[in-house]
Amino acid sequence: MSFSLTRLVKNVLQVGPKDAWHQLLILGEVKAGTLIGTDQFGNRYYENREELFARERWVVPASKKFDPSEIPAGWHTWIHRIDARAPHEVTDLPNDLKWMAPHTRNASGSEANYKPYSTTEPKIEAGRPRRPTAV
């Protein structure tokens, strides 16, 4: 939906001034909808069917430093309409999921990123500068 003052005031009254300010800082707009669920990181997932298509589902992150890779796989499938069910509604998963690692965010570009190292010896030795000879 395009910007309108009445929509903004209506949504601020629905979500409250504190959440409205948080949404303005993080999302850049104030949206009101039904809380569908919360993930283990504290991100809250909302839905409002009166919004435009592909904008009716959104996430309000728990922190200001939000990276979209922090969205777990189950919520990713819900927010992108791959599965219509939220992760807490899915019951047909196998009980034995010991092989599945817990979700971690993508650390690329941060201090925690992967730094590969070589276990082989270098093929070329580093050169040493020669001393000039006196003529």
Side-chain angles (χ1 to χ4, degrees), residues 15-27:
V15 299
K18 183 180 176 185
D19 276 344
W21 181 251
H22 180 73
Q23 283 186 24
L24 275 174
L25 291 176
I26 303 294
L27 302 176

Side-chain angles (χ1 to χ4, degrees), residues 22-89:
H22 180 73
Q23 283 186 24
L24 275 174
L25 291 176
I26 303 294
L27 302 176
E29 65 178 327
V30 180
K31 297 176 92 172
T34 306
L35 177 66
I36 301 299
T38 306
D39 64 12
Q40 66 266 28
F41 303 113
N43 301 323
R44 297 174 301 184
Y45 298 88
Y46 291 90
E47 182 175 33
N48 183 355
R49 301 230 178 218
E50 296 175 6
E51 290 283 337
L52 291 173
F53 179 74
R55 291 182 51 102
E56 69 265 14
R57 292 180 178 179
W58 68 94
V59 57
V60 176
S63 67
K64 292 181 182 176
K65 294 182 180 181
F66 178 68
D67 181 21
S69 71
E70 294 175 6
I71 297 177
W75 284 108
H76 176 83
T77 58
W78 176 81
I79 206 162
H80 290 283
R81 299 188 160 278
I82 298 168
D83 192 355
R85 302 169 297 173
H88 59 276
E89 298 171 348

